[in-house]
Amino acid sequence: MIDDYFTPLNSSLIKGLIPKELNNPFELTTPEVCNIAAKKLQQYITETEHTWVHNFGTNKRKTGPIKGKMFGVLIVENANKELGFLSAFSGKLDQDDFKNIFVPSLFDTSVEDYFLDKGMGELTLLCNQIDQLKEENSNSTELQRLKLIRKNKSFALQQKIFDQYVFLNNSGNLKDIRTIFKDFSGKKPAAGAGECAAPKLFHYAFKNNLKPLAIAEFWWGKTTYKDKKHLVFYPACEDKCRPILNYMLSL
């Protein structure tokens, strides 16, 4: 079976560049084999970016808010001992039709009849009603009631979103994201946890019998973050990735 997300590499050329063991995703050192894969991915982004809805700030013809993204490459070996890599980006982009270039999110937005879209719509309606009451300088019990409803709906929606994130680890075990964070630090998951590139890459690899060999992440585009620069490699983040990868990789 051919894995559409698996991008093959020339095994004879890169075999000597594979680290003896999987590199720590929280360290700054980037394996040379990841540089090779990253350049291939960067070439793909450069050649196709003009067709994307998302604006990274690297294409002068693009309009709309500029937002850079972290991308990741995971070098893997498939069941046939062939070498290649998987690609992913952190968070969401303004389109999903990448023809199987990037591994999918664990969260399928179409589940339960698009509950997320419906939930966000309900929250927007509540926000509009609250804003209207504020404009009327209302301190009524109705305003407080709507604020409480919005708070409860927002919390319930976030918990339902977290329920969608159940990760495989290197031993083939499944654990949901809330339990992962609770076991790690006793805290609740950070907002956006589960959508970073590295956890998506490892989950897909474990799920599809692909052996992880090396990983690296780089920033693509402009950003307001002072610590992020275009094409520069960075380690996995601490607040969202550390608990998840600690569980997935037995760090």
Side-chain angles (χ1 to χ4, degrees), residues 95-125:
Q95 68 187 68
D96 294 315
D97 53 340
F98 292 105
K99 297 180 180 178
N100 295 354
I101 295 298
F102 301 106
V103 300
S105 166
L106 276 73
F107 178 22
D108 179 359
T109 56
S110 68
V111 297
E112 295 189 36
D113 197 22
Y114 295 90
F115 81 85
L116 178 57
D117 291 344
K118 291 182 177 180
M120 293 302 295
E122 292 174 358
L123 288 174
T124 298
L125 180 60

Side-chain angles (χ1 to χ4, degrees), residues 123-149:
L123 288 174
T124 298
L125 180 60
L126 282 168
C127 287
N128 292 339
Q129 292 174 333
I130 290 170
D131 289 341
Q132 184 177 351
L133 288 175
K134 286 181 177 179
E135 290 178 4
E136 297 171 355
N137 296 317
S138 173
N139 292 315
S140 66
T141 55
E142 177 65 8
L143 178 60
Q144 301 308 315
R145 186 182 75 84
L146 290 177
K147 284 184 176 180
L148 180 60
I149 292 175

